[in-house]
Amino acid sequence: MKKTHQNIRTWYKLYGRLDLPWRTTTDPYHIYLSEVMLQQTQVSTVLERYYFPFLKKFPTLKALGTAPLDDVLKMWEGLGYYNRAKNLHKTAKILTQRGQAQGVPPTLPLNIDELIKLPGIGKNTAHAVAAFAFKQPVPIMEANVKRILCRLYKLKTPTDKALWEIAYNFVDKENPFDYNQAMMDIGSSICTPKNPQCTLCPLSSICQGKEEPTRYPNKKKRVVPTREQNIMLYTYNDKLSLTQRTGKFLHGLWGFEEIDVPLCASEYIGEVSHTYTHFKRICKIYVYDELDATRNNYFTVQEIRKLAISKVDDKILKLYLDTIQTY
Ligand code: SF4
């Protein structure tokens, strides 16, 4: 195992993405933020558009914990999976209040069990914070690491429990930071889902699955259901009506209204679609250009740009603006 760990470390020093900003900082909050942003989102997107602006706006846990949720959602706009932002905010709030009660600056707990108790911090995020921020000798378990472990041991449908056990046995306890970062980089650049390059892999000498790597793990075929919705844009005097969502879905974000049956006097302008993890939304868009006296929430386009809105609502707004421009 020592030799394998050495190979992994050497590979990481030569080919790893050593310069990623969350790998060069020792600030646990910055590392935690990157872990949350990177769930379901590519490194390039986080790096190019979200990580730095978010930290500029909320440079510390305290700054985040004392900010209004609307401001946090605005900085998260477009990144999707908004529960991540809400839980991040809740956790920062809890830690800020805890720090205030103790008369110290807020900090993340060192202990994995304590980390898991905080909103939105699952087992993998807790392990990542422990390994990367606090250099604890624990493994992480994101998608790239799972795939590598399955191939190393020819596992088609392992349970999470079995994978964690293997990961704990396999982790380099002397260099958990480099080891875990290397595993993610190997998974994203070499041991890729479709075209693994085993001849370049530092794990090749011990890999049991390298003859037919793509057989491991078994791929689950997912059927994504489709939901069709009618969306009504209430417009008046170059303003549009939006409401802030209070339900579970996209909670806290502003959006256009869904209705069962389009109003007779409305005009159909087209449809937009968006695929989430569990379903695809197809929205048929109608415009009702009369003042609706029951509404007091009309915004100009400039004002809407300052609100936190979802990707779908952004697409709807774009469709509307394109439509009125062609008239
Ligand atoms: S040898 Fe091939 S299958 Fe095995 S871990 Fe490396 S890239 Fe993946």
Side-chain angles (χ1 to χ4, degrees), residues 151 190-191 198 201 204 207 210 213:
R151 289 174 174 175
I190 291 188
C191 194
C198 301
C201 179
S204 173
C207 182
K210 68 183 171 204

Side-chain angles (χ1 to χ4, degrees), residues 162-284:
L163 277 178
W164 275 105
E165 265 173 38
I166 293 170
Y168 260 94
N169 286 332
F170 198 63
V171 65
D172 180 348
K173 296 187 179 59
E174 284 167 29
N175 302 282
F177 184 96
D178 285 2
Y179 163 87
N180 281 312
Q181 302 287 17
M183 289 291 275
M184 286 195 291
D185 286 357
I186 293 167
S188 62
S189 64
I190 291 188
C191 194
T192 53
K194 287 191 183 144
N195 193 21
Q197 299 177 58
C198 301
T199 51
L200 303 176
C201 179
L203 294 161
S204 173
S205 62
I206 60 152
C207 182
Q208 297 173 21
K210 68 183 171 204
E211 300 308 327
E212 293 180 284
T214 51
R215 291 184 65 193
Y216 312 99
N218 261 0
K219 285 175 203 76
K220 289 180 205 147
K221 282 202 179 112
R222 278 201 315 125
V223 181
V224 182
T226 300
R227 268 185 220 167
E228 282 202 5
Q229 297 173 314
N230 295 318
I231 304 292
M232 184 61 67
L233 302 190
Y234 294 91
T235 64
Y236 185 67
N237 269 355
D238 296 332
K239 292 185 172 186
L240 295 107
S241 170
L242 287 89
T243 47
Q244 195 165 23
R245 297 177 200 278
T246 53
K248 217 172 164 200
F249 182 62
L250 300 177
H251 177 96
L253 295 186
W254 291 81
F256 300 108
E257 204 163 306
E258 183 191 348
I259 51 160
D260 291 335
V261 183
L263 303 175
C264 289
S266 63
E267 184 190 349
Y268 175 72
I269 60 166
E271 73 175 38
V272 302
S273 63
H274 190 71
T275 305
Y276 298 90
T277 322
H278 301 298
F279 70 99
K280 181 175 180 179
R281 250 179 109 187
I282 296 180
C283 303
K284 297 190 177 304

Side-chain angles (χ1 to χ4, degrees), residues 32-46:
Y32 162 50
L33 172 68
S34 72
E35 284 301 321
V36 177
M37 283 189 165
L38 289 165
Q39 293 163 10
Q40 326 268 6
T41 308
Q42 291 188 337
V43 170
S44 55
T45 307
V46 171

